[in-house]
Amino acid sequence: MKLIKYLSNKDVIPIWSNVPFYIPAGLAFTKGLWAYGILIALAASVSLYYHLTDERELKRLDKFLAYSVIAANLYILYLAKFKLPYFTIALVFVGIAFYFFLTGKEHKYDVYHGMWHLCSVVITLMCVLAY
């Protein structure tokens, strides 16, 4: 019961919203995209730890890994020749993700940042599926 109450607290949304990143990471491994899968899992793990501990020294690494996943996603889409419908779905979620990213700085940071993570999971999943 204590765990459910903790997980339902909006302050932990940026923490547990990192966990679904392990789905596209695992799928990348099954497709033989080892470096991509490791990058996704590493970025998720660092972000999870960063949001869990609020360790300020990890902020730069967290951002660097997030940008690295974004660049890798673009590269994977390129390799997949922007295969439909995955590319279209990814683009829709890019727009939604940026809405949460840009408006989350003003209010409801925890909820909006968690939604940014979840949209990013969908984007990454679509990139892996496109390959």
Side-chain angles (χ1 to χ4, degrees):
M1 247 349 178
K2 203 174 190 182
L3 178 64
I4 292 171
K5 185 176 180 181
Y6 177 75
L7 290 177
S8 66
N9 182 349
K10 70 175 180 65
D11 296 336
V12 300
I13 293 172
I15 297 167
W16 62 258
S17 62
N18 278 290
V19 174
F21 274 105
Y22 294 108
I23 296 168
L27 189 57
F29 289 132
T30 65
K31 289 189 167 220
L33 299 167
W34 292 98
Y36 186 44
I38 289 169
L39 175 64
I40 297 165
L42 180 63
S45 298
V46 168
S47 185
L48 183 66
Y49 186 75
Y50 168 64
H51 288 296
L52 187 62
T53 63
D54 209 24
E55 185 83 32
R56 290 290 142 204
E57 290 80 31
L58 287 177
K59 187 173 186 171
R60 281 188 182 165
L61 180 59
D62 181 50
K63 280 188 173 186
F64 172 78
L65 289 171
Y67 292 137
S68 297
V69 170
I70 291 168
N73 284 346
L74 286 170
Y75 183 64
I76 293 296
L77 280 174
Y78 166 77
L79 291 177
K81 298 183 172 119
F82 303 98
K83 187 188 292 182
L84 299 175
Y86 307 108
F87 176 63
T88 306
I89 296 168
L91 276 182
V92 168
F93 276 88
V94 165
I96 297 168
F98 274 107
Y99 168 79
F100 286 118
F101 182 75
L102 296 173
T103 59
K105 294 179 187 221
E106 297 170 15
H107 61 287
K108 299 179 186 176
Y109 171 80
D110 293 323
V111 174
Y112 280 35
H113 194 71
M115 293 304 294
W116 158 263
H117 286 170
L118 294 175
C119 287
S120 299
V121 168
V122 173
I123 294 164
T124 304
L125 183 61
M126 291 302 109
C127 295
V128 175
L129 290 173
Y131 185 78

